[in-house]
Amino acid sequence: MDYKKVLILGFAKSGYEAAKVLIKRNCKVIINDSKTIDKIDKEKYEELKNLGVEFVLGSHPDDLLDNSFSHLIKNPGVPIDHKYVLKAKELNIDVINEVELAYSLIPKDKNIKIIGITGTNGKTTTTTLIYEMLKKDQKPVLLAGNIGYPLCSILDKLKENDIIVMEVSSQQLENLHKFNPDVAVITNISEAHLEFFKTYDYYKYLKSKILINQQNNDICILNLNDSEIVKFSENAKSIKKWFSSKEKSNCYLEDDAIFYENEKIIAVKDIKLRGIHNYENIMAAIIAVKCFDCSTKSIVDVLENFNGVEHRLEFVREKDGVLFYNDTEATNIKCTQIALNAFNEPTIIILGGYERGQDFEELKPFMKNVKAIIGIGETRKRVEEFGKNNKIDTFIFETLKESFPKIKEIMRKNDVVLLSPASASWDQYNRCEERGDEFKKLVNEI
């Protein structure tokens, strides 16, 4: 691609990395963001200014974008109907994102392979597992994408035969056109981000885009139990490999163990991660790394020691036979349903937080192993009402810290204590990760 004059819409991590890559290639770069100068990263701003990047901050002037631009690079968080996006299409200006930019600049003579992972749930866990397994097997692997490392940030580190493992979000897929992973993984599909993409059909189409450019020698790894994926992958040109928690396939669950091509890889009891959803993530990861001749020993070593992605059903510790799990990222009912499904042990669940009208009654079918509920935050009285309606012992506290003496009093050997609040954290914390960090601190003080 010929990048002459580029408007970067959104000065976030990906915009910063894209600007550095472009300015190094003698491109004229303008960054536009609605945030004012006091709300952006000063150090990165000064660095880019000194390199020659121009900034237009605080608004989106109508006359900023014109046909002198060759490309508009959109931050994934910018709405798909932003006025600059619509105007760029009118002017036949390519609308891409940082991933597409980086992909176009990957040296074609270095035999670099890309594993791209998408899906509604499990992307980060699957991406991390693939990376850790390949790293354990001493493969030349780099981590990138939506997991927090823009693809542009690793361009200068690439060496011959490197493998890039990257999480790809639906927001990123929206502005990808030529991007083609050698191995594509789709974990699952369900309704999500409809406030952003407007319709479920369009969201499903975006997920399917990870397969669009694949050719006969590429590989796609798909969930056999997901009817949406089975349907939209029918026309994929690439080699299909399937995983399933219900029936035999390339990788499957049978007799409480995971098998790959009929070879037993590991017993479920030896895996630190819990829950069918995580076993599916693991199966997808196993197929992906086996495409690169990863040894079974390396796979097992990772699975026996991997505590999970931080704040997502993360194993914290065992104390006196009690298992503690931090799932603070479960900020909605669906995520807490998944977490509750992961345990057969007697469970003490911590619910509640920011009030946004969530219906705790939707958790009822998943509460069969719950022996007690701890309600916290703004919604604690509604949590208490839910517990009483379902005849489950419920104790409410304003803060997480205040709840811990009660948790210590009621927990018993073989119990699980699970922070999976089904609520955002904004009533008491700036970010849900702060809630998870406090939980881990309190657990480790027991």
Side-chain angles (χ1 to χ4, degrees):
M1 284 192 191
D2 191 9
Y3 302 100
K4 294 174 182 171
K5 182 180 178 185
V6 174
L7 177 63
I8 296 176
L9 182 54
F11 181 47
K13 198 182 287 186
S14 62
Y16 163 74
E17 295 291 352
K20 284 203 299 181
V21 161
L22 287 166
I23 211 81
K24 193 183 283 187
R25 287 161 175 79
N26 299 315
C27 176
K28 183 174 175 59
V29 180
I30 298 169
I31 293 179
N32 172 240
D33 199 297
S34 60
K35 289 179 184 157
T36 50
I37 195 162
D38 55 315
K39 297 277 174 62
I40 63 171
D41 188 313
K42 299 288 189 306
E43 203 173 302
K44 288 178 178 174
Y45 169 79
E46 291 296 340
E47 178 191 353
L48 293 183
K49 280 284 266 188
N50 290 335
L51 289 172
V53 175
E54 294 178 28
F55 282 83
V56 178
L57 300 173
S59 67
H60 305 296
D62 288 340
D63 59 354
L64 177 59
L65 184 67
D66 58 34
N67 58 14
S68 66
F69 287 88
S70 62
H71 295 80
L72 171 67
I73 296 181
K74 181 178 94 64
N75 181 282
V78 172
I80 61 176
D81 56 357
H82 189 283
K83 67 179 182 180
Y84 286 175
V85 175
L86 300 178
K87 188 173 180 182
K89 288 175 181 174
E90 278 176 29
L91 296 170
N92 288 320
I93 296 168
D94 284 341
V95 180
I96 63 170
N97 56 29
E98 173 270 333
V99 174
E100 184 84 347
L101 167 67
Y103 180 75
S104 74
L105 297 172
I106 290 173
K108 301 296 182 253
D109 59 348
K110 287 191 174 180
N111 191 37
I112 288 156
K113 301 295 184 185
I114 297 177
I115 306 173
I117 301 97
T118 197
T120 304
N121 295 305
K123 294 186 294 295
T124 304
T125 299
T126 306
T127 303
T128 308
L129 281 168
I130 293 170
Y131 171 71
E132 293 295 339
M133 289 170 180
L134 291 173
K135 188 170 78 166
K136 176 62 93 173
D137 210 50
Q138 299 188 326
K139 299 286 192 282
V141 61
L142 297 116
L143 190 61
N146 193 52
I147 201 164
Y149 308 97
L151 190 54
C152 279
S153 70
I154 66 167
L155 279 177
D156 292 340
K157 301 175 189 173
L158 292 174
K159 301 184 296 298
E160 196 146 356
N161 301 320
D162 274 351
I163 304 164
I164 301 169
V165 181
M166 60 181 297
E167 178 181 326
V168 189
S169 70
S170 45
Q171 284 92 340
Q172 288 171 324
L173 283 161
E174 217 265 336
N175 296 113
L176 292 178
H177 309 296
K178 295 185 178 176
F179 176 77
N180 179 27
D182 301 273
V183 177
V185 181
I186 308 179
T187 56
N188 48 62
I189 302 277
S190 59
E191 286 195 17
H193 307 299
L194 296 195
E195 75 288 349
F196 197 87
F197 295 118
K198 315 305 181 195
T199 70
Y200 185 34
D201 280 344
Y202 188 57
Y203 174 73
K204 285 187 290 186
Y205 159 72
L206 292 178
K207 290 300 188 191
S208 74
K209 275 183 74 179
I210 201 164
L211 308 178
I212 276 177
N213 295 320
Q214 286 201 302
Q215 300 303 310
N216 298 338
N217 56 342
D218 296 322
I219 293 168
C220 60
I221 298 166
L222 308 167
N223 188 337
L224 187 58
N225 304 135
D226 194 307
S227 58
E228 298 286 8
I229 293 175
V230 172
K231 190 174 174 183
F232 73 52
S233 64
E234 283 175 3
N235 297 322
K237 294 178 187 171
S238 45
I239 300 161
K240 297 187 187 78
K241 292 183 179 281
W242 302 94
F243 62 92
S244 171
S245 57
K246 297 176 181 173
E247 56 192 293
K248 278 198 173 183
S249 53
N250 297 96
C251 200
Y252 58 94
L253 193 60
E254 187 176 84
D255 298 330
D256 291 325
I258 290 176
F259 291 79
Y260 171 74
E261 303 294 5
N262 298 322
E263 173 201 351
K264 182 178 174 180
I265 301 294
I266 189 169
V268 164
K269 67 178 175 57
D270 296 325
I271 299 172
K272 273 265 181 84
L273 292 179
R274 299 292 292 269
I276 292 292
H277 67 294
N278 271 325
Y279 302 148
E280 290 179 346
N281 297 335
I282 287 164
M283 289 186 273
I286 289 171
I287 300 174
V289 300
K290 284 292 186 182
C291 294
F292 295 88
D293 299 319
C294 185
S295 71
T296 298
K297 183 183 185 307
S298 294
I299 292 168
V300 171
D301 282 351
V302 169
L303 295 177
E304 286 179 341
N305 295 288
F306 184 70
N307 287 334
V309 174
E310 191 175 21
H311 304 305
R312 301 184 189 199
L313 211 55
E314 172 195 10
F315 175 69
V316 179
R317 74 180 288 208
E318 179 181 343
K319 172 69 176 169
D320 299 331
V322 179
L323 301 173
F324 293 85
Y325 284 84
N326 163 32
D327 193 35
T328 186
E329 293 241 15
T331 57
N332 58 56
I333 297 291
K334 176 74 176 172
C335 288
T336 300
Q337 290 173 342
I338 290 170
L340 285 167
N341 246 356
F343 300 101
N344 295 316
E345 297 89 344
T347 301
I348 300 166
I349 186 167
I350 303 166
L351 288 175
Y354 182 67
E355 178 62 82
R356 53 180 174 187
Q358 58 272 50
D359 184 0
F360 294 105
E361 284 297 328
E362 291 176 13
L363 295 174
K364 185 176 178 179
F366 301 85
M367 301 292 285
K368 62 183 185 300
N369 296 314
V370 173
K371 70 175 229 179
I373 298 171
I374 303 292
I376 61 168
E378 269 183 9
T379 58
R380 61 189 179 277
K381 293 204 170 156
R382 290 209 299 111
V383 170
E384 183 178 39
E385 187 182 342
F386 165 68
K388 284 180 177 173
N389 288 346
N390 290 283
K391 299 182 171 54
I392 300 170
D393 288 341
T394 304
F395 310 92
I396 63 168
F397 305 88
E398 185 176 353
T399 68
L400 189 57
K401 186 173 184 179
E402 288 167 359
S403 74
F404 258 70
K406 176 55 74 175
I407 292 171
K408 287 189 279 188
E409 178 192 322
I410 63 175
M411 70 187 196
R412 299 288 180 268
K413 187 177 180 181
N414 299 322
D415 282 357
V416 165
V417 176
L418 171 65
L419 171 67
S420 188
S423 310
S425 61
W426 302 316
D427 55 333
Q428 296 178 8
Y429 307 88
N430 291 321
R431 296 155 51 247
C432 71
E433 291 87 349
E434 291 176 12
R435 178 173 59 189
D437 288 339
E438 184 179 18
F439 176 74
K440 290 194 285 187
K441 178 173 177 286
L442 292 165
V443 167
N444 285 317
E445 286 172 356
I446 293 176

